[in-house]
Each structure stands twice: as structure tokens, then as C-alpha cells.
Amino acid sequence: MGPGPSDVDPRVLRAMAAPLVGHLDPAFLEIMNEAMELLRYVFETKNQLTIPMSGTGSAGMETCFVNLIEPGDRVVVCVNGLFGERMADVAARCGAEVARVEAPWGRTIDPADARKALRGGRPTKILAVVLAETSTGVWQPLAELERAAHEAGALFLVDAVTALGGIPVAIDASRIDACYAGTQKCLSCPPGLAPVTFNEEARKVVRGRKGKVQSWYLDLNMIENYWGKERFYHHTAPVTMVYALRESLRLIAEEGLTARFERHAQNGAALHAGLEAMGLKLHAEAGHRLPVLTSVAVPDGVDDIAVRRALLNDFGIEIGGGLGPLKGRIWRVGLMGHTSRRQNVALFLTALEGILGRLGFGVRPGAAWQAATRVYGG
Ligand SMILES: *Cc1c(COP(=O)(O)O)cnc(C)c1O
């Protein structure tokens, strides 16, 4: 129940035990096609260029910036957590002139600030934002940022690493030009692939570059010839990971996106209700809390590490601590993909209640699960 990797369905683990075939084997090409088709379903897009990059979510981030940016391009990056910070770093390493739009860690980005930044200089190539900030638990609304980006003639780039498969991303309906994700969050697959999707506008930018993409490994102009009809060898695909991704995406298709989003929403709401009934304070801005990653303030006088150690040693539950300015101040509880289950909410709330009670933090026994039960309609 940490910020990822999430639990993996046994079917995904079994798929990974299947015999290896070559990365150009006809059987594998079929598996690739199915994985791309299923990715389009989960991203809710018709984008032809929708493929898993080799590497973790950060490789997806680099893929977007390194392909879309040429040295000197102006990029506006929304920074209200660790992953916005990382995007700004990656964009700068690509030679971009980076303008930051900031909000405190735990608050959403104000679209008015983004508009100001988009107007504040030379024409902007990209507006980049994190949809689900895993370091803070904030769910960023996209609609106004999308409008601001396109009115300014910029591409709209979204980090959906923790969002994809847990909350709606809806690439086409949200008019997102380029987006990246990772496998080990709400897709419930081991870490190792980074699904990306580029629409035609974004592809035009990549094809029309003046210079070569400075990363040979992440160059989409070459990689799309392996995932496309040509099947040109570029680098050896991580065959076993593609088996795993296909199986995890099949599980999502069997459940259905709507049902999956509802499951995540309900378990997240139950967790939030339980934590508040315990007298704890949720860290993320009210009204913008993610169901898939909950940040909760460590109460005064309670030892962060002692609580996490007891959860792990006594109950086998792993949760995350705070990062950056939130180190030691919050806990981060993931309910992603296969981990987002009612029995996990029940076990976690009950375990935490017991541990906090033992540490002298006054908790009315049973209050948390009672509040959670109301969310489940019980
Ligand atoms: C996890 C995460 C990343 C980075 O992914 P890695 O798989 O750790 O490389 C990027 N953005 C967000 C929002 C994330 O949660």
C-alpha cells in the first residue's frame, strides 16, 4: 500500500513465466499489437503512436521531453510536487528555457498562474503538468490548463504515471497532445515499461525537428518503426515485460474502465473517511484528493518511522513516507490497481488504529472502520 509498485494480480505473474520468444517472432508481433490496442483503450485515444517505452515512468517522461524539445525552446512546467520538479529538471537538461508555475506541495496549480507564465516570454512550445502528484496526493484538474496551453499555441503534456488505470485520463476528450505513464502504479504490473501516447500535432513536432533527438535510445522516429508496420530492429524489446503489460491491460479491459474508476473512487473515499474519523488530517487540498494515493499528516508527537515499521513488521503493510519538504510530515498510502481492495482498507485502518492507540494517540476503537463502512453503504 505504498506509492508503487502496487500489488500484481497472479495472472500477470504467470504471464511472466511464459517461455521467451524473439522480439521479431510473429507470435510476439501479435502480442505487441494487442498491447498497443489495449493501451489505446486505457488511454482512451485513437492515437496511432501509443506504445510502451523500455524503462520505468521516468523513461516515459524523458521520451516526451527529449523528442519534443530542441535546445532553446521555451517550456512552462507546473511544479507542486516532486514529479513536477523532475519534469523541470528533465526539460532543462534537454536545453529548454524552463518557466516554472508553482504551488505549495499539497495544493493544485492555479490556471491563472499558468496563463501568466504562458504570456510571460517568447512563444511557449509545451505546457507540462502532473495529473496525479504521487508525492502529495493531489489530483490536478486539467481542463483550464489545456485551454490555456492551446490558446497560447503550446502543446499540452501530461504526466499520467499514477493516474493511468486508476482515474480517468481520457487523452482524446481531454485534448492532451502527449502523455506518459508507468506500469507499476494503477496498471498493476511490475516496473519496467512506460506507456506513451502522442497525437498527430505532437508527432508533427517530432518529425519536423531541426536536429536529431539527442537520445538514441528514446528516439521515437526510430522506435515507431519497430512498433509500426516496418518492424525494424531498434533495441531488444523487454519481451517478458510486454507479456506482463498485455496481461495487466487484459485484466483492466475485463473489469471495464468505468467499473475500475468506481472501485478506486470508492476505496479511496472509504480510506479518507476512516482516517478522518480517526482524528487524522488529510494533507492534500480538499476537493482535489486522489483516491489512488492518500497523503495524511503524521500527528504531532507520533514517530513516523515507528508507525511505518510496526505496519510492516506486524501486518505486512508497506506505506510511503513524505518526500522533499514533506519528509517526516506525511504518510502516503496507495490504493492502486490490484491493491485497491476493501479488505486492504479494512486491514490498514484497523492496524493503524491499533498502532496509534499503543503509541498513546487517542483513538476511539472501531471509529475508522465504522466511517469507512458508511462509504461502502454497509
Ligand atoms: C512514479 C512516478 C514517476 C516516475 O516513475 P518511475 O517508474 O519511478 O521512473 C513519474 N511521475 C509520477 C507522477 C510518478 O508517480
Side-chain angles (χ1 to χ4, degrees), residues 65 68-79 87-101 116-128 154 214:
F65 285 105
L68 293 171
I69 290 175
E70 298 200 60
D73 284 345
R74 184 170 194 271
V75 175
V76 174
V77 182
C78 300
V79 181
M87 288 202 299
D89 185 7
V90 169
R93 285 167 192 245
C94 297
E97 173 201 323
V98 176
R100 298 159 62 100
V101 182
K116 223 176 291 162
L118 285 164
R119 276 197 300 261
R122 300 183 294 113
T124 301
K125 182 115 172 244
I126 295 175
L127 172 66
Q214 63 264 40

Side-chain angles (χ1 to χ4, degrees), residues 3-4 55-61 82-84 86-87 130-135 159-163 180-185 191-194 332 336:
T56 64
S58 305
M61 186 188 292
L82 181 86
F83 294 104
R86 186 175 297 179
M87 288 202 299
V130 178
L131 171 55
E133 226 334 323
T134 322
S135 62
D159 173 322
V161 177
T162 282
Y180 60 91
T183 42
Q184 79 275 23
K185 311 270 168 94
L193 289 174
R332 293 181 302 141
M336 302 181 184

Side-chain angles (χ1 to χ4, degrees), residues 186-255:
C186 291
L187 297 181
S188 268
C189 182
L193 289 174
V196 300
T197 185
F198 279 53
N199 71 7
E200 287 309 312
E201 282 308 302
R203 286 180 84 178
K204 240 183 274 161
V205 169
V206 181
R207 289 206 201 94
R209 293 176 61 95
K210 290 194 278 294
K212 275 188 179 179
V213 174
Q214 63 264 40
S215 165
W216 180 90
Y217 197 72
L218 301 176
D219 185 340
L220 282 174
N221 285 323
M222 293 197 283
I223 289 172
E224 69 176 334
N225 291 333
Y226 171 57
W227 283 87
K229 280 193 281 300
E230 299 82 358
R231 306 295 182 177
F232 288 146
Y233 162 72
H234 177 259
H235 66 270
T236 309
V239 170
T240 301
M241 274 307 300
V242 178
Y243 294 166
L245 176 63
R246 178 181 66 154
E247 196 63 19
S248 71
L249 294 171
R250 279 171 160 176
L251 282 158
I252 295 176
E254 285 167 26
E255 181 177 10

Side-chain angles (χ1 to χ4, degrees), residues 35-117:
M36 285 189 283
E37 204 43 54
L38 287 163
L39 274 180
R40 288 188 196 102
Y41 166 71
V42 175
F43 271 123
E44 297 182 76
T45 184
K46 294 201 172 62
N47 288 346
Q48 185 63 30
L49 184 54
T50 302
I51 58 174
M53 298 295 290
S54 305
T56 64
S58 305
M61 186 188 292
E62 295 239 31
T63 298
C64 288
F65 285 105
V66 89
N67 281 278
L68 293 171
I69 290 175
E70 298 200 60
D73 284 345
R74 184 170 194 271
V75 175
V76 174
V77 182
C78 300
V79 181
N80 57 345
L82 181 86
F83 294 104
E85 198 66 67
R86 186 175 297 179
M87 288 202 299
D89 185 7
V90 169
R93 285 167 192 245
C94 297
E97 173 201 323
V98 176
R100 298 159 62 100
V101 182
E102 306 205 41
W105 289 36
R107 313 283 304 177
T108 54
I109 297 289
D110 183 344
D113 293 339
R115 277 185 195 281
K116 223 176 291 162

